[in-house]
Amino acid sequence: MLIAGNWKMYKGPAETAEFCEALRDSDVDDVDVVVCPPYVSLATAVQLLAGTEIGVAAQNVHWEEAGAYTGEISARMLRELGVYGTIVGHSERRQYFGETDETTAKRARAALDAGLFVIACVGETEQEREGGETEAVLRRQVTALGAADENLVVAYEPVWAIGTGKTATPELAQEAHALIKSLLDVPVLYGGSVKPDNAAELLAQPDVDGALVGGASLEIESFTEICRAATPS
Ligand code: PEP
């Protein structure tokens, strides 16, 4: 079970320090936990979580090692900072910043080649689900990622469930996860309005291997509650 918190564009270094100190002092050590702060807060998180089992990941990475790519960060730079992994292909990147299946795959491969752990996001929009295209979209997005890798996990994040308070039913999540695993043999996290009160039933599905949590990962209480819901009893 892996619980990853995607902080999006929240928490600068000061708030990151406060959160990481609280997380370090919490009782979430029986489950794999990763936090994904904004770039400017990564060093603080790495420093404060050093010596714990809690990983620190970025929210994106470029596929080149270095070059004239203003505003981008390479996998080598993340490694130098002590960062453990990265998210790629989040739907907000696809929706607002022109990220495609192809660029997502390039980012994922470069990060894996550099030794980073990768959470690659896939998921259909509401329009695609209503149009009966969910399976085709997931097939296209997952196939584009290429081969399985021991450092690769996929996050199934139906776009209509992200930040909306709408969550996929456990059955619907299970169905999508089973499809993804039939295409790529990697662990699959669920993401989309995971909260303390719905985490346990989603995580209980046989093909749900953890969660990628956005909004509820910003408060220490809700995040640790979700981590506890994933802890084996
Ligand atoms: C996310 O950002 O990956 C996410 C799932 O957000 P939320 O939990 O807020 O829906």
Side-chain angles (χ1 to χ4, degrees):
M1 274 291 165
L2 167 66
I3 304 297
N6 172 20
W7 294 357
K8 313 191 187 211
M9 199 172 70
Y10 294 101
K11 296 194 193 296
E15 279 185 74
T16 295
E18 201 182 321
F19 188 99
C20 290
E21 279 162 8
L23 188 58
R24 209 177 45 191
D25 295 340
S26 70
D27 56 347
V28 297
D29 38 16
D30 282 338
V31 58
D32 289 336
V33 177
V34 172
V35 291
C36 310
Y39 284 132
V40 294
S41 301
L42 286 170
T44 303
V46 167
Q47 209 179 342
L48 284 166
L49 296 174
T52 74
E53 298 284 302
I54 302 164
V56 177
Q59 297 174 17
N60 200 11
V61 67
H62 196 263
W63 53 85
E64 294 291 345
E65 281 197 357
Y69 300 103
T70 304
E72 294 287 330
I73 304 283
S74 74
R76 195 169 66 181
M77 292 169 182
L78 294 176
R79 286 295 305 252
E80 187 180 334
L81 214 56
V83 167
Y84 160 77
T86 185
I87 297 172
V88 296
H90 191 279
S91 66
E92 286 152 13
R93 301 291 324 167
R94 294 177 189 255
Q95 205 175 341
Y96 306 130
F97 302 101
E99 202 75 63
T100 63
D101 291 340
E102 192 192 349
T103 56
T104 297
K106 282 167 80 169
R107 292 179 200 277
R109 285 297 132 193
L112 291 169
D113 289 347
L116 289 173
F117 174 80
V118 171
I119 301 173
C121 301
V122 300
E124 79 288 359
T125 63
E126 187 154 39
Q127 202 182 0
E128 287 164 343
R129 176 157 285 274
E130 282 170 3
E133 295 166 48
T134 300
E135 183 173 336
V137 169
L138 293 180
R139 275 185 189 280
R140 193 198 71 223
Q141 293 178 336
V142 173
T143 309
L145 291 172
D149 188 289
E150 59 178 4
N151 282 326
L152 176 65
V153 306
V154 167
Y156 169 58
E157 299 208 305
V159 180
W160 47 269
I162 296 181
T164 59
K166 290 188 206 169
T167 315
T169 61
E171 295 72 27
L172 193 149
Q174 168 56 30
E175 195 183 336
H177 283 225
L179 169 68
I180 293 166
K181 286 188 179 190
S182 74
L183 300 167
L184 196 61
D185 187 18
V186 295
V188 182
L189 314 181
Y190 171 77
S193 298
V194 175
K195 308 284 176 210
D197 60 0
N198 61 22
E201 59 173 355
L202 286 159
L203 294 168
Q205 297 304 305
D207 289 314
V208 175
D209 303 308
L212 180 55
V213 185
S217 73
L218 295 171
E219 299 295 334
I220 190 71
E221 292 78 16
S222 48
F223 188 56
T224 50
E225 223 178 301
I226 292 169
C227 293
R228 278 192 287 273
T231 304
S233 47

